[in-house]
Amino acid sequence: MIEQQGLKRELKGRHLSMIALGGVIGTGLFLGSGFTIGEAGPGGALLAYIFGGFVMYLTMLCLGELSVSLPDAGSYQTYATKYISPSTGYMVGWISWLNWAVTIGLELITVSILMKRWFPDISTWVWCVLFAVLLFAVNAFSSKSFAEVEFWFAGIKVLTIIAFILLGGAAMFGFLEMDGGAAAPMLSNFTDHGGLFPNGLIAILITMIGVNFSFQGTELVGIAAGESEDPEKNIPKAINSTIWRILIFFVLAMFVLAGLFPWQEAGLVESPFVVVFDKIGIPYAADIMNFVIITAVLSVANSGLYATSRMLWSMSSKGMISSRFGKLTKKGVPLNALIASMLVGCLSLLCGVFAEDTVYLWLLSIAGFGCVVVWASIALSAYLGRRAYLGQGGDVKDLKFKMPLYPIVPLLAFGLNLLILVSLAFIEEQRIALYCGIPFMIACYLYYNLVAKNKMEQKSLIAQKNLAKL
């Protein structure tokens, strides 16, 4: 390996848009949507996704301004370091890295379980190893190879959701005959069976961390900005198009799902998408959806591996961690960071296999908690970053991408993300996210101030002495 000045700028606008979509559209929508409808009812599920989408929209507006003014592979870790504090940037970097490293292991477990539908006699670990090697090879070759694979993975998911919305909507309103000649439900499932909010508005809180976790991945466009060909042009376009696509896809898909069968049934099925395709009479519906969900899961794992390796590289380049993680190959890939991320992902995978009822739940909770913490840091960084820019005499008109209604947008985004974190304390099943997440954050702050900060200062002094000798 050789030391390079920085990552290669090979990612085009179409790559950025699909990277953001690919990181979001996954098991949270395809598998978790039934739970959301079952817990919150048809109106509650729609409201939960609209609210979650609104929080995502505000957060991505904040990220857009930051990413265009300072495109960096460290993204929100870099912004937190610069605008909040170095210790907060250190914490955000590690919690983001851990979040996605854990997600890699969880997604590989999910893929291995889904593959058992077709190959029941093959052990779970075989599929885990096979797909781990495949994802590692894709990411190790070049950033462009990662982006191309993600582009096609995301494309499959997008086409499936569009087909689902069109066919499901047609069946819902009687334009397409349901299998067995069943009558079109129209809007009856929104008015019957207890109405829009059968379990009350409080039930929506139970679903919010899962809904927000479903939107996790949009922030990856900020990390990819560090390797974008033309950040000033491509990032605003990718963020704006991604926000509206995700909102439309998620809200319309939930509307069709909630309209096609009663909310009590939705919570009892593993994937309501499979049930809907079966009701419409599409041949091999379960196998088609199994394939789509596998690509969705692999897409998220692919994005996670990319995000973790770039985060380690960025922290290394700033002297926060060992310089070994800052080395790049001739193709501009941080290979050591990639290897470390995959190894930790596989360790969390083993924890999930051997302690499914305990460690698996802890890892999943940490991932959801980490997502919301990162989003909150983006909002606060945007608020402080704009304030610093104005304080230095900057003119808002000179910004290539500017969030509207400052300071309302960043402060509202920060407040809503904080509200979601606080709500976990009142939900017994999800309090473990706080029990795991808060001590980890404190540990990051303590380690930075007691150990990492001193090491960074020593490295800086050594570097200054070497420059003086030259």
Side-chain angles (χ1 to χ4, degrees):
M1 291 189 298
I2 62 172
E3 195 78 44
Q4 301 265 355
Q5 290 296 318
L7 301 170
K8 294 183 179 295
R9 294 191 176 275
E10 298 180 318
L11 305 187
K12 302 180 185 297
R14 66 183 179 90
H15 292 140
L16 290 181
S17 295
M18 283 304 193
I19 286 170
L21 282 172
V24 176
I25 303 172
T27 51
L29 179 63
F30 287 122
L31 295 179
S33 49
F35 169 80
T36 305
I37 297 172
E39 287 290 335
L46 279 174
L47 195 58
Y49 273 91
I50 290 171
F51 177 75
F54 180 63
V55 176
M56 179 267 294
Y57 173 69
L58 295 177
T59 307
M60 291 309 108
L61 286 176
C62 296
L63 182 61
E65 180 168 311
L66 292 166
S67 298
V68 173
S69 62
L70 183 60
D72 187 275
S75 187
Y76 34 83
Q77 183 272 326
T78 300
Y79 310 140
T81 298
K82 182 175 182 178
Y83 298 121
I84 304 176
S85 71
S87 57
T88 299
Y90 187 81
M91 179 276 294
V92 168
W94 276 119
I95 204 165
S96 171
W97 178 80
L98 182 65
N99 170 16
W100 281 105
V102 163
T103 300
I104 293 168
L106 297 177
E107 301 299 329
L108 287 174
I109 292 173
T110 304
V111 170
S112 66
I113 293 170
L114 291 168
M115 289 298 292
K116 281 189 172 293
R117 175 181 177 83
W118 298 318
F119 305 98
D121 298 326
I122 297 180
S123 298
T124 300
W125 69 267
V126 174
W127 296 116
C128 290
V129 170
L130 177 65
F131 286 114
V133 171
L134 176 64
L135 292 176
F136 180 84
V138 167
N139 278 268
F141 186 73
S142 70
S143 60
K144 192 173 182 180
S145 66
F146 150 76
E148 285 295 338
V149 170
E150 193 59 28
F151 179 84
W152 292 107
F153 272 164
I156 292 172
K157 293 187 286 187
V158 169
L159 289 175
T160 302
I161 292 175
I162 291 173
F164 169 80
I165 292 171
L166 292 176
L167 293 173
M172 180 177 166
F173 291 103
F175 297 106
L176 186 66
E177 186 177 348
M178 300 282 284
D179 191 35
M186 305 297 281
L187 297 176
S188 61
N189 288 320
F190 288 94
T191 57
D192 301 341
H193 314 289
L196 292 173
F197 307 102
N199 296 324
L201 292 174
I202 298 298
I204 298 173
L205 280 178
I206 298 175
T207 68
M208 280 317 304
I209 193 69
V211 168
N212 273 70
F213 184 66
S214 296
F215 285 113
Q216 176 188 346
T218 47
E219 73 278 2
L220 293 182
V221 71
I223 293 177
E227 296 176 85
S228 171
E229 284 184 342
D230 187 355
E232 290 186 2
K233 176 185 175 183
N234 291 333
I235 294 172
K237 186 178 178 181
I239 286 180
N240 285 323
S241 63
T242 300
I243 286 170
W244 293 112
R245 286 176 188 173
I246 290 171
L247 275 174
I248 291 170
F249 288 156
F250 273 63
V251 173
L252 283 181
M254 291 302 292
F255 175 75
V256 172
L257 283 174
L260 280 172
F261 44 91
W263 62 270
Q264 301 98 319
E265 295 180 20
L268 300 176
V269 296
E270 184 177 1
S271 175
F273 282 78
V274 175
V275 175
V276 170
F277 276 137
D278 270 332
K279 284 190 173 185
I280 296 172
I282 294 178
Y284 306 106
D287 288 314
I288 292 171
M289 281 309 303
N290 200 56
F291 170 76
V292 170
I293 295 170
I294 285 172
T295 62
V297 171
L298 288 175
S299 171
V300 173
N302 191 39
S303 295
L305 189 56
Y306 173 83
T308 50
S309 61
R310 268 53 181 184
M311 189 59 67
L312 280 186
W313 176 85
S314 175
M315 293 176 73
S316 175
S317 68
K318 295 174 178 62
M320 290 183 168
I321 58 176
S322 172
S323 60
R324 293 188 185 91
F325 299 112
K327 294 181 179 180
L328 301 175
T329 65
K330 292 180 180 180
K331 293 279 190 179
V333 175
L335 191 59
N336 287 341
L338 194 67
I339 292 171
S341 298
M342 179 55 83
L343 287 176
V344 172
C346 289
L347 285 174
S348 63
L349 180 156
L350 291 174
C351 290
V353 169
F354 291 110
E356 291 184 6
D357 294 333
T358 53
V359 179
Y360 187 91
L361 178 60
W362 296 350
L363 297 176
L364 194 61
S365 299
I366 290 173
F369 177 88
C371 165
V372 183
V373 168
V374 166
W375 282 19
S377 77
I378 291 171
L380 186 56
S381 297
Y383 169 73
L384 296 174
R386 173 77 76 89
R387 192 173 71 173
Y389 176 75
L390 295 175
Q392 294 165 2
D395 191 338
V396 176
K397 294 179 181 177
D398 295 332
L399 294 173
K400 302 295 182 182
F401 183 104
K402 48 184 173 289
M403 55 186 158
L405 301 175
Y406 177 86
I408 296 174
V409 166
L411 290 179
L412 184 58
F414 179 77
L416 292 177
N417 278 298
L418 195 62
L419 178 65
I420 293 169
L421 289 177
V422 171
S423 72
L424 293 175
F426 301 95
I427 306 169
E428 185 177 352
E429 298 85 352
Q430 296 175 351
R431 265 181 221 147
I432 193 168
L434 297 178
Y435 297 152
C436 296
I438 291 176
F440 182 80
M441 291 172 64
I442 294 172
C444 287
Y445 275 110
L446 289 174
Y447 187 83
Y448 175 83
N449 286 292
L450 296 176
V451 181
K453 184 178 179 180
N454 293 330
K455 288 184 177 180
M456 289 173 64
E457 290 174 351
Q458 290 173 6
K459 287 180 182 179
S460 178
L461 287 173
I462 293 171
Q464 290 175 11
K465 290 180 180 179
N466 291 335
L467 285 173
K469 290 178 182 179
L470 295 175

